[in-house]
Amino acid sequence: KGTRSAKQVLRRLSGRENRFVLNRLHTISRRIVEEADTHDCSYIAVERLTHIRERMNNRNDQVKRQMHNWAFRELQEMLAYKASEYGIRVEQIPPAFTSQTCSKCDHQSSTNRSSDGWFECNDCGYSVDGDYNAAKNIGLKLLTLPEGKRPSGLGDGHLALKSGTLNGNGDYTAYDASSSDRESTDKPATSVVGR
């Protein structure tokens, strides 16, 4: 109604929501860095999100509003400063075609990923959560950079996944016999790259 008390209530609720979001971002970034440290990783690969809102060509106004509320930059900044305390670097990787490319056979097709977010390769049949597949591709892009463009200290490297490790050649090793990449429910927002 525009009254002073209504404005005070809105201000109080706004502050509560901001504190909740910041707390959530701190928790997520801390867990990612702790996992990287647990696996003795030297890099965390994240998707380069520059101009992501402009790249979204969705005409739905509600989706556009939701995109402007996502805290991409804040999460990556928190991740970077927390990782630096452990001597871990955060590398931004161009996201081109990571959600359409199979992390097993490298087949790329726009029909590999369905609208519900599930990924199923048209070539080899590999089926997994689409975000998980894209995160693996982001990590693999970092591992397979040409010699002159690779960050120092990367070496031959491998990806540390919750279910096992993946090297630049695509060879997967499960942490134990019962762990399987196909059955994994991991949904990382980033890929952690080991030494």
Side-chain angles (χ1 to χ4, degrees):
K1 293 184 177 183
T3 63
R4 188 174 65 164
S5 63
K7 290 177 184 175
Q8 288 173 342
V9 169
L10 286 174
R11 225 181 347 266
R12 189 181 77 238
L13 291 177
S14 173
R16 185 184 300 168
E17 183 179 353
N18 288 338
R19 288 188 302 275
F20 173 80
V21 170
L22 282 175
N23 181 49
R24 180 65 71 156
L25 293 175
H26 277 294
T27 302
I28 292 168
S29 59
R30 186 184 70 244
R31 286 181 181 170
I32 291 170
V33 171
E34 286 172 352
E35 183 177 342
D37 186 51
T38 299
H39 292 289
D40 195 30
C41 296
S42 53
Y43 287 88
I44 298 174
V46 296
E47 183 176 337
R48 183 178 298 142
L49 298 173
T50 309
H51 306 297
I52 188 168
R53 290 180 178 100
E54 291 81 15
R55 287 186 278 146
M56 299 299 288
N57 59 356
N58 195 313
R59 291 176 182 27
N60 184 333
D61 288 337
Q62 183 179 0
V63 172
K64 285 181 183 178
R65 277 193 301 279
Q66 288 174 341
M67 285 297 295
H68 282 282
N69 288 331
W70 287 1
F72 304 118
R73 181 173 293 141
E74 289 88 346
L75 178 61
Q76 288 190 358
E77 287 172 356
M78 288 179 188
L79 194 59
Y81 87 75
K82 287 180 173 133
S84 68
E85 293 174 1
Y86 290 84
I88 300 170
R89 289 181 42 195
V90 175
E91 283 291 321
Q92 293 190 359
I93 305 298
F97 306 109
T98 54
S99 64
Q100 298 176 2
T101 304
C102 180
S103 59
K104 286 257 192 239
C105 72
D106 214 27
H107 172 73
Q108 178 191 330
S109 172
S110 61
T111 59
N112 279 346
R113 187 161 179 171
S114 63
S115 60
D116 66 353
W118 194 254
F119 181 90
E120 185 166 355
C121 181
N122 296 331
D123 198 39
C124 71
Y126 178 61
S127 181
V128 70
D129 179 79
D131 292 335
Y132 180 66
N133 181 70
K136 285 171 52 177
N137 283 329
I138 289 167
L140 286 169
K141 277 187 168 190
L142 178 61
L143 288 180
T144 57
L145 283 173
E147 193 62 39
K149 295 184 178 186
R150 292 176 69 120
S152 62
L154 186 59
D156 292 333
H158 63 275
L159 298 181
L161 308 171
K162 287 185 178 182
S163 55
T165 60
L166 186 68
N167 69 15
N169 298 328
D171 299 327
Y172 174 77
T173 306
Y175 287 132
D176 58 42
S178 65
S179 178
S180 170
D181 190 42
R182 176 177 288 275
E183 296 170 6
S184 174
T185 58
D186 301 344
K187 282 185 68 173
T190 60
S191 291
V192 181
V193 182
R195 295 183 177 144

